[in-house]
Amino acid sequence: MSITAPAGRLHPTPDLEIADDYESLVMDVCKILSETNCHFSMSGFGQDDWPVDISYDLSSVIEQLPAAIANLQRGFQAEIDLYGQGVERRLSFIPSGDLVEIRCTSGTKWSPDPEMETASRSEILELLTGLARDFKIAVQKALPDLVARSPFATW
């Protein structure tokens, strides 16, 4: 999972309304980022380039990211569900000591190969916190007035 920030700052209209609750805020920001040259990509489980987009798929990942990070930090199982039509994949992160099994389940004809990958818990946490950090950078570049909002400010 990776995000490449847009090249420059957006100048939204003064009447742009951005939601206050976290899920709606993320949806609004991702919709705006999708209109820039920001890029979101995912790969793994036998496919180099997953068919993901910014406005829907990145939004769904970012919405679930704080809970996934918190669960893994506490040693609990976490999930990220890419439920968008055409992607329909669930990543389950199952900690076992210092390792994490990542299981990919498909809801389409596509089959992950392999269905499971393993990494250290620190690698997975770095991947997820790095994604949060890169999202904050994208927001900071495109919409700097929003980066002070929670939870972006702490990423």
Side-chain angles (χ1 to χ4, degrees):
M1 290 186 266
S2 69
I3 301 169
T4 304
R9 180 180 180 168
L10 295 176
H11 299 284
T13 59
D15 61 341
L16 176 68
E17 290 188 34
I18 302 289
D20 287 327
D21 68 284
Y22 178 67
E23 287 82 12
S24 298
L25 171 65
V26 168
M27 285 188 275
D28 290 346
V29 168
C30 286
K31 183 177 185 312
I32 293 166
L33 287 175
S34 73
E35 298 169 7
T36 70
N37 63 343
C38 184
H39 182 74
F40 172 53
S41 64
M42 291 185 72
S43 63
F45 300 95
Q47 187 174 14
D48 289 335
D49 192 22
W50 288 18
V52 293
D53 68 17
I54 292 174
S55 64
Y56 199 83
D57 301 313
L58 178 59
S59 175
S60 66
V61 170
I62 297 298
E63 286 171 27
Q64 299 169 70
L65 201 54
I69 291 169
N71 283 345
L72 287 169
Q73 286 173 331
R74 292 191 306 257
F76 300 143
Q77 183 172 329
E79 288 191 351
I80 294 182
D81 191 2
L82 290 113
Y83 43 80
Q85 187 174 5
V87 181
E88 301 169 57
R89 299 171 192 187
R90 176 176 291 130
L91 297 173
S92 300
F93 300 87
I94 306 157
S96 178
D98 290 337
L99 295 178
V100 175
E101 290 181 359
I102 308 110
R103 296 188 181 272
C104 182
T105 307
S106 175
T108 66
K109 292 180 188 177
W110 175 79
S111 295
D113 183 21
E115 292 179 3
M116 182 190 72
E117 296 183 8
T118 305
S120 72
R121 187 161 56 148
S122 62
E123 288 173 317
I124 298 301
L125 283 169
E126 178 54 36
L127 172 76
L128 298 179
T129 58
L131 188 67
R133 196 171 42 250
D134 291 346
F135 186 75
K136 177 182 179 177
I137 290 167
V139 172
Q140 188 168 24
K141 259 193 152 171
L143 301 158
D145 295 342
L146 295 182
V147 83
R149 290 209 186 175
S150 180
F152 309 144
T154 61
W155 289 356

